[in-house]
Amino acid sequence: MIIKWDREGRSGDRDTAQAEQTCKRAAQYVRMSTEHQQYSTDNQAEALAKYAEARGYVIVKTYADDGKSGLNIAGRGALQLLLQDIQSGAADFEAVLVYDVSRWGRFQDPDEAASYELSCRRAGVVVHYCAEQFENDGSIGSSIIKTVKRAMAGEYSRELSVKVFAGQANLIRLGFRQGGQAGFGLRRVLVNQDGERKGELGAGEHKSIQTDRVLLEPGPESEQAIVREIFSRFVAGETENEIASDLNRRDVRSEGDRNWNRAIIHHMLINEKYVGHNVWGRTSFKLKQAHRQISPDEWIRCDNAFSPVIEQSKFNAAKAIIEARSASWSDDAMLDQLRVILAGNGSLTGLIIDEYDDSPSSGCYRSRFGSLLRAYALVGFKPDHDYRYIQINRSLNAMYPQILESCMTGLRRRGNRVDENDAESILTLNNQVRLSVSIARCMQTGAGSLRWKLRLDNRAAVDLTLLIRMDAANVQALDYYVIPKIAIADAILTLCEHNGLGLDAYRRKTLDLCFDIFRRAALRKAA
């Protein structure tokens, strides 16, 4: 009897209870980004159903991430819930079915994908990649293929990122708009591939045909008049706050039916779209790794791409005032002003800085000091960040002498002569083997996986390294690695929760098991 299960794990057969008793229970994880239509979640679910039927599984639950990138775990609520259910013991299944390695994720660090699979396996749940040509059985062959597949999945995203960026940059140079709201006094217009106007796009509306393009054009005359008024009043000597207060008093609404404030006015005064220039790529968030500011000479632009709302001379005059306002400030004066802003608000952000009249903008601070974070540090402000590692390092440093003494005692009990080189913290065994003892602090990535980093001292020619990995709380040892020099090619070795046979073969659960490696044995005298 063939039992068909829908994507929620429900059976249409009346013998459901009997089937669940005789079949192995499994969950399925499906994910679709926007890169390949053939990888729709429905198609994946169909392939997984066939795999389950052939292997004697019954799919009892579905976790689906529709339209989610596989670059990281952030935003993938279904995968997060799946891992949470497994790790908490709430999962009522023994396997997870996934279409292929790339559906699990296109992580830029292959170890991240491995760490999530390891957490499943440790909880007794096996991950099956149903469309792959290898069995995920833990063999050396499957481990090698799986690692290569993970690296290929990440590389695909990197190559796609380069191609997409090049395509977007080309469209910007042709004068087309790439994402974002139009802004007060402007409107987004949809045109076809021949440049013919098709209509205006409202707030939240997007094009539906791939070959269509978006341009900017001036909005209603009433809004254009407000934009021209803002620039004229600013050039005449009024501040952003004064202009915003007057517009609010007159009940003039900003974009999105909001009140005006200094930041909105300021960003309008420095935005070149009001003079018809199409500028893109001021910041970068490639592969969802890290936001960074791009130098102005690297921005992608097309001047005179669409009809201006104000004349270039008026924009240049406003720009000159803003630049002169910051140029007249010395570094010390800017930092003093930043301290005043910090004292008045209790914290600092770009928006808070931009709200202050007669003060350099957040952009000026970035330009002058390289980044806002460096400016914050110079005035003693620390943004929300986890600095507990400083205290953890102090605790581990205090713990180190006791651990080193325990190692020396344990080695001596195995019949070894142990000498300590105080200058290098190296133990010499029997005048032959040099052993380094290191403690690795546990770190948690943004995705929640664990990492340990070992920094090797190239000046110390050691034969073996005894690495002590701390637990997630950095309170007690998790496990131990006795690693020969030949197995470590780099000066910095990063370990994840599961590292493959190449490194985990050197892992021991207790310190005594490590010491047993060094137990001396008497040899019989040859006849």
Side-chain angles (χ1 to χ4, degrees):
M1 178 178 61
I2 297 177
I3 303 174
K4 295 192 178 296
W5 296 81
D6 67 12
R7 292 184 57 199
E8 299 302 323
R10 296 186 295 263
S11 172
D13 195 280
R14 56 191 173 186
D15 295 330
T16 300
Q18 179 183 355
E20 292 192 27
Q21 291 176 358
T22 58
C23 294
K24 296 177 289 184
R25 297 169 64 85
Q28 61 179 350
Y29 173 73
V30 293
R31 179 184 68 82
M32 181 188 71
S33 63
T34 57
E35 59 203 38
H36 282 309
Q37 186 60 41
Q38 66 263 34
Y39 281 143
S40 72
T41 51
D42 288 337
N43 289 346
Q44 293 173 53
E46 183 177 351
L48 299 185
K50 293 179 180 178
Y51 183 94
E53 180 183 336
R55 301 301 180 95
Y57 283 107
V58 56
I59 299 175
V60 297
K61 192 166 185 178
T62 292
Y63 299 83
D65 279 321
D66 291 322
K68 300 296 183 181
S69 167
L71 286 171
N72 55 38
I73 199 171
R76 294 167 65 185
L79 180 58
Q80 294 178 28
L81 180 60
L82 168 64
L83 296 174
Q84 179 182 329
D85 286 349
I86 292 174
Q87 293 167 1
S88 66
D92 61 345
F93 44 83
E94 59 188 88
V96 175
L97 309 184
V98 187
Y99 185 77
D100 62 13
V101 170
S102 70
R103 296 303 92 194
W104 190 247
R106 295 188 183 278
F107 303 103
Q108 296 306 290
D109 182 355
D111 290 340
E112 185 173 354
S115 69
Y116 299 139
E117 183 181 325
L118 177 63
S119 67
C120 296
R121 188 163 61 249
R122 283 182 171 172
V125 177
V126 181
V127 178
H128 292 269
Y129 301 109
C130 304
E132 300 288 4
Q133 299 302 308
F134 65 89
E135 289 289 338
N136 193 19
D137 55 6
S139 64
I140 293 178
S142 69
S143 297
I144 292 174
I145 295 173
K146 187 166 54 176
T147 300
V148 172
K149 288 271 190 177
R150 287 170 177 156
M152 290 172 61
E155 182 60 27
Y156 172 85
S157 292
R158 284 189 286 272
E159 292 180 355
L160 183 63
S161 174
V162 172
K163 294 176 182 177
V164 169
F165 180 84
Q168 290 176 317
N170 183 55
L171 290 175
I172 290 295
R173 296 187 183 100
L174 293 174
F176 298 116
R177 179 79 171 171
Q178 286 292 306
Q181 294 300 313
F184 185 84
L186 297 169
R187 293 294 185 269
R188 294 181 302 147
V189 176
L190 194 66
V191 299
N192 62 20
Q193 58 186 346
D194 298 321
E196 299 171 344
R197 194 180 194 278
K198 297 180 66 174
E200 182 179 304
L201 289 174
E205 293 182 345
H206 304 280
K207 68 176 187 177
S208 57
I209 301 177
Q210 186 70 23
T211 55
D212 285 349
R213 298 288 177 250
V214 178
L215 295 171
L216 287 185
E217 68 175 22
E221 179 56 38
S222 59
E223 291 188 14
Q224 294 186 57
I226 294 296
V227 174
R228 289 191 285 267
E229 177 188 343
I230 289 172
F231 275 87
S232 297
R233 294 174 65 174
F234 182 76
V235 171
E238 292 188 56
T239 66
E240 293 98 327
N241 263 332
E242 290 172 341
I243 298 172
S245 297
D246 182 63
L247 291 174
N248 290 332
R249 181 185 59 80
R250 291 156 47 191
D251 200 26
V252 177
R253 307 301 290 172
S254 176
E255 185 182 29
D257 198 33
R258 296 177 297 167
N259 282 331
W260 295 86
N261 57 43
R262 183 185 187 276
I264 294 176
I265 300 291
H266 181 80
H267 291 154
M268 178 181 291
L269 293 170
I270 63 174
N271 201 315
E272 295 185 70
K273 64 186 177 184
Y274 288 102
V275 289
H277 301 336
N278 199 21
V279 183
W280 181 75
R282 295 182 176 92
T283 62
S284 174
F285 188 40
K286 289 183 179 179
L287 297 171
K288 300 192 176 183
Q289 298 299 297
H291 285 279
R292 68 183 184 93
Q293 299 290 325
I294 305 299
S295 173
D297 58 359
E298 296 181 31
W299 294 351
I300 311 300
R301 60 186 304 126
C302 175
D303 292 344
N304 304 311
F306 32 79
S307 300
V309 176
I310 62 167
E311 60 271 21
Q312 184 72 51
S313 59
K314 187 65 66 70
F315 181 87
N316 292 341
K319 180 180 178 182
I321 293 173
I322 294 172
E323 291 178 347
R325 189 164 60 187
S326 62
S328 62
W329 292 69
S330 66
D331 289 358
D332 290 339
M334 289 182 68
L335 294 176
D336 287 341
Q337 178 64 15
L338 199 58
R339 293 185 183 96
V340 171
I341 298 174
L342 175 60
N345 291 271
S347 64
L348 292 172
T349 66
L351 184 60
I352 289 174
I353 294 171
D354 287 339
E355 280 296 316
Y356 271 74
D357 263 337
D358 300 323
S359 177
S361 67
S362 59
C364 294
Y365 279 100
R366 289 190 188 96
S367 177
R368 183 72 64 89
F369 298 101
S371 69
L372 281 179
L373 286 177
R374 183 168 182 271
Y376 294 164
L378 292 173
V379 298
F381 172 67
K382 295 180 179 179
D384 290 339
H385 189 74
D386 187 0
Y387 288 97
R388 290 177 296 171
Y389 72 90
I390 297 177
Q391 183 59 42
I392 292 172
N393 285 345
R394 289 173 181 167
S395 299
L396 296 182
N397 288 336
M399 187 189 304
Y400 185 80
Q402 181 181 352
I403 290 178
L404 195 63
E405 183 63 33
S406 298
C407 290
M408 295 172 66
T409 300
L411 290 168
R412 285 169 179 151
R413 286 177 179 170
R414 269 70 173 180
N416 295 281
R417 174 185 170 182
V418 182
D419 298 308
E420 179 185 4
N421 185 324
D422 293 330
E424 296 179 337
S425 297
I426 301 296
L427 302 182
T428 303
L429 280 59
N430 308 312
N431 293 321
Q432 293 178 325
V433 178
R434 289 168 59 84
L435 174 69
S436 170
V437 179
S438 299
I439 302 177
R441 172 172 60 89
C442 182
M443 302 172 289
Q444 192 172 50
T445 68
S449 56
L450 303 181
R451 296 288 185 272
W452 295 262
K453 187 172 292 185
L454 172 63
R455 298 180 182 274
L456 302 178
D457 189 346
N458 292 329
R459 297 171 300 173
V462 300
D463 302 298
L464 296 165
T465 296
L466 172 58
L467 174 64
I468 303 166
R469 292 204 309 182
M470 301 302 292
D471 62 6
N474 285 294
V475 174
Q476 60 186 8
L478 174 67
D479 51 25
Y480 307 85
Y481 283 73
V482 182
I483 309 176
K485 180 180 179 180
I486 194 173
I488 306 177
D490 301 320
I492 299 178
L493 175 66
T494 300
L495 299 176
C496 61
E497 294 166 88
H498 177 66
N499 305 282
L501 186 63
L503 282 174
D504 283 349
Y506 303 112
R507 176 176 169 268
R508 300 292 183 272
K509 287 298 294 181
T510 68
L511 204 52
D512 283 338
L513 290 175
C514 294
F515 295 150
D516 288 343
I517 297 175
F518 301 97
R519 185 184 297 277
R520 303 193 76 189
L523 297 178
R524 292 183 179 181
K525 190 177 292 187

